[in-house]
């Protein structure tokens, strides 16, 4: 073999570069890979904190107005022919204030109005006396003997509007039957007289 210069590598040989000749990895490539990984880790930690955060208890549900109101019969009287009036006590036990938007009765032969006039509002923990005046418009359509008469009251609070039928008890039933009998000219039957003895 003749010639000048370094020997050429033969077949199946590889040249090894010295370590100092290899290009060092570029630092910006490492930073590029680290940024998405860090962002994913932060997002995952944030999602975990959001899912496990302490949540406040939901506010208690407000009651329906009919659940907090009671209506009781106080006394009754006759004010004029075919006109009767009675007092009831309306109490709001709890919850938000309750507004009475209507007071009525179920019989077709009578009309009803209240004092104070609806709408009026009652605060929780308080009560008020309402005077209900009924006027008989048609005697043939009023009950002759009201066994379980009731008063219809429409109530409203911040949750709902309800029309509730309040049964006012046996005292109200007796008063109403007597007052309607007097208004329509039907007096209560008198007790029978003892038989008279004829002189023999």
């Amino acid at each position: 073999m003749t010639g000048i210069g370094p020997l050429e590598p033969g077949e199946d040989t590889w040249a090894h570069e010295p370590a100092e000749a290899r290009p060092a990895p570029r630092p910006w490539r490492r930073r590029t890979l680290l940024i998405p990984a860090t962002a994913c880790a932060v997002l995952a930690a944030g999602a975990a904190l959001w899912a496990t955060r302490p949540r406040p208890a939901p506010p208690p549900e407000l009651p329906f107005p009919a659940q907090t109101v009671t209506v009781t019969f106080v006394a009754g009287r006759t004010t004029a022919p075919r006109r009767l009036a009675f007092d009831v006590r309306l109490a709001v036990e709890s919850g938000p204030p309750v507004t009475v938007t209507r007071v009525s009765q179920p019989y077709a032969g009578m009309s009803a109005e209240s004092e104070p006039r609806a709408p009026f509002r009652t605060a929780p923990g308080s009560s008020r006396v309402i005077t209900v005046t009924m006027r008989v418009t048609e005697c043939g359509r009023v009950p002759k003997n009201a066994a379980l008469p009731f008063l219809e009251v429409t109530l409203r609070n911040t949750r709902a509007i309800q029309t509730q039928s309040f049964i006012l008890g046996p005292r109200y039933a007796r008063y109403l039957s007597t007052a309607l009998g007097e208004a329509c000219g039907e007096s209560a039957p008198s007790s029978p007289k003892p038989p008279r003895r004829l002189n023999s």
Side-chain angles (χ1 to χ4, degrees), residues 174-189:
R174 288 192 298 269
Y175 157 74
L176 186 62
S177 295
T178 302
L180 289 178
E182 294 173 354
C184 292
E186 299 173 4
S187 58

Side-chain angles (χ1 to χ4, degrees), residues 35-198:
I35 288 172
T38 305
C40 289
V42 170
L43 289 175
L49 287 174
W50 175 262
T52 58
R53 77 192 188 284
R55 299 181 183 179
E61 195 171 32
L62 293 175
F64 287 99
Q67 295 174 327
T68 65
V69 170
T70 59
V71 177
T72 53
F73 178 73
V74 178
R77 58 195 177 277
T78 301
T79 59
R82 292 206 173 190
R83 199 176 279 264
L84 51 144
F86 57 93
D87 296 331
V88 295
R89 184 179 299 279
L90 182 143
V92 180
E93 297 173 356
S94 60
V98 174
T99 299
V100 174
T101 61
R102 187 169 180 263
V103 177
S104 61
Q105 52 77 44
Y107 305 113
M110 294 190 295
S111 63
E113 59 184 24
S114 68
E115 179 61 40
R117 289 183 176 274
F120 55 87
R121 195 179 196 193
T122 305
S126 64
S127 65
R128 67 166 65 204
V129 174
I130 304 166
T131 299
V132 180
T133 301
M134 291 186 180
R135 187 170 65 90
V136 178
T137 57
E138 190 177 345
C139 282
R141 304 182 72 181
V142 298
K144 303 300 181 185
N145 186 14
L148 289 174
F150 57 89
L151 194 66
E152 291 180 343
V153 184
T154 303
L155 307 166
R156 183 186 71 216
N157 68 2
T158 51
R159 178 172 183 181
I161 299 176
Q162 292 179 294
T163 297
Q164 182 75 8
S165 298
F166 292 95
I167 297 175
L168 301 182
R171 287 179 57 237
Y172 174 64
R174 288 192 298 269
Y175 157 74
L176 186 62
S177 295
T178 302
L180 289 178
E182 294 173 354
C184 292
E186 299 173 4
S187 58
S190 59
S191 57
K193 296 180 180 180
R196 295 175 60 187
R197 289 185 180 181
L198 298 176

